[in-house]
Amino acid sequence: EVQLVESGGGLVQPGGSLRLSCAASGFTFSNYWMSWVRQAPGKGLEWVANIKQDGSEKYYVDSVKGRFTISRDNAKNSLYLQMNSLRAEDTAIYYCARVWGGYSSGWYPFDYWGQGTLVTVSS
Amino acid sequence: DIQMTQSPSTLSASVGDRVTITCRASQSLSSWLAWYQQKPRKAPKLLIYKASSLESGVPSRFSGSGSGTEFTLTISSLQPDDSATYYCQQYSTYWTFGQGTKVEIK
């Protein structure tokens, strides 16, 4: 059974940093692109970042470029999101998701999602 | 950037009704469009990919159609368990979600 479990969320002050983790199990993690998606309270879904199987390609939504870094450790079956210079508008539930198919191209939807971890940016 | 616009934002229908949600893209996606269902306090669930392909395990009352810039998600006979918010997502150029359509049962 595919499982994705996020951790690392919490309350942080504006300008602060936080590192989210996603532990994957039930599939060969190194075969899949992975993604972070967020959802502000009461709002819709927003894609944040994607990373290729070997970490050689990374993509970000414009609003987090230069502040967030996606990374992975295939030996630990783990995905990460380093978030710096956090702003109030970054407050959201952050979901880890697997990109469908396991292909070398990442242009596919997201077939498995974790339950999310809440990040609150507030003074 | 590709913008995705869903309509309506909310809809209320009775059990057994046929329900249709529309998603429009700001530029052509070919068929690179997916639909998700999200229930309160739950993660989204993939329903449809490549505009009309049903994800494994998804009930056959869900169907998708369209190509280019206009797409639809249809629930052929609405069930109580279908009460949720539905999102379209383009994956032609990066990944963008629509704003969501909340489906309520009358």
Side-chain angles (χ1 to χ4, degrees):
Chain A
E1 178 192 8
V2 172
Q3 284 200 318
L4 299 168
V5 180
E6 302 92 339
S7 61
L11 175 64
V12 61
Q13 292 188 338
S17 298
L18 213 54
R19 188 196 196 205
L20 306 184
S21 299
C22 172
S25 60
F27 66 103
T28 304
F29 181 73
S30 60
N31 285 355
Y32 288 84
W33 281 73
M34 296 296 296
S35 178
W36 287 100
V37 176
R38 68 184 178 183
Q39 186 169 34
K43 302 298 183 182
L45 301 168
E46 180 182 39
W47 166 72
V48 174
N50 273 28
I51 185 169
K52 191 174 180 176
Q53 289 94 332
D54 61 359
S56 62
E57 292 182 39
K58 302 176 184 181
Y59 299 97
Y60 300 91
V61 69
D62 284 349
S63 59
V64 309
K65 281 180 184 175
R67 300 188 300 122
F68 289 12
T69 302
I70 189 172
S71 63
R72 63 192 296 162
D73 185 335
N74 288 340
K76 294 184 178 179
N77 292 334
S78 292
L79 177 71
Y80 305 102
L81 186 67
Q82 177 66 44
M83 304 186 296
N84 299 331
S85 303
L86 282 161
R87 306 166 180 166
E89 55 265 35
D90 296 318
T91 294
I93 296 172
Y94 284 74
Y95 293 102
C96 162
R98 190 182 82 168
V99 177
W100 186 91
Y103 299 109
S104 59
S105 164
W107 308 109
Y108 292 98
F110 311 147
D111 60 353
Y112 286 93
W113 299 61
Q115 287 307 300
T117 187
L118 177 62
V119 172
T120 303
V121 184
S122 175
S123 55
Chain B
D1 293 2
I2 298 177
Q3 309 301 319
M4 306 299 295
T5 304
Q6 287 181 232
S7 60
S9 296
T10 58
L11 72 86
S12 182
S14 301
V15 171
D17 283 354
R18 183 181 183 88
V19 167
T20 299
I21 299 168
T22 298
C23 179
R24 291 186 173 86
S26 59
Q27 62 189 75
S28 179
L29 308 178
S30 182
S31 296
W32 305 124
L33 184 108
W35 289 96
Y36 297 84
Q37 176 193 66
Q38 187 181 32
K39 296 183 179 180
R41 295 170 297 283
K42 296 292 188 181
K45 174 186 175 183
L46 178 64
L47 299 176
I48 302 281
Y49 62 94
K50 208 176 178 184
S52 60
S53 296
L54 197 66
E55 177 71 347
S56 176
V58 174
S60 59
R61 64 181 179 274
F62 291 93
S63 64
S65 65
S67 65
T69 62
E70 187 154 336
F71 302 85
T72 58
L73 173 70
T74 299
I75 308 173
S76 60
S77 178
L78 191 66
Q79 299 302 304
D81 190 51
D82 301 337
S83 178
T85 300
Y86 294 84
Y87 294 92
C88 61
Q89 178 205 36
Q90 69 83 17
Y91 51 96
S92 172
T93 305
Y94 300 104
W95 299 265
T96 314
F97 292 91
Q99 81 277 17
T101 295
K102 187 175 183 178
V103 174
E104 299 173 338
I105 309 294
K106 282 182 184 174

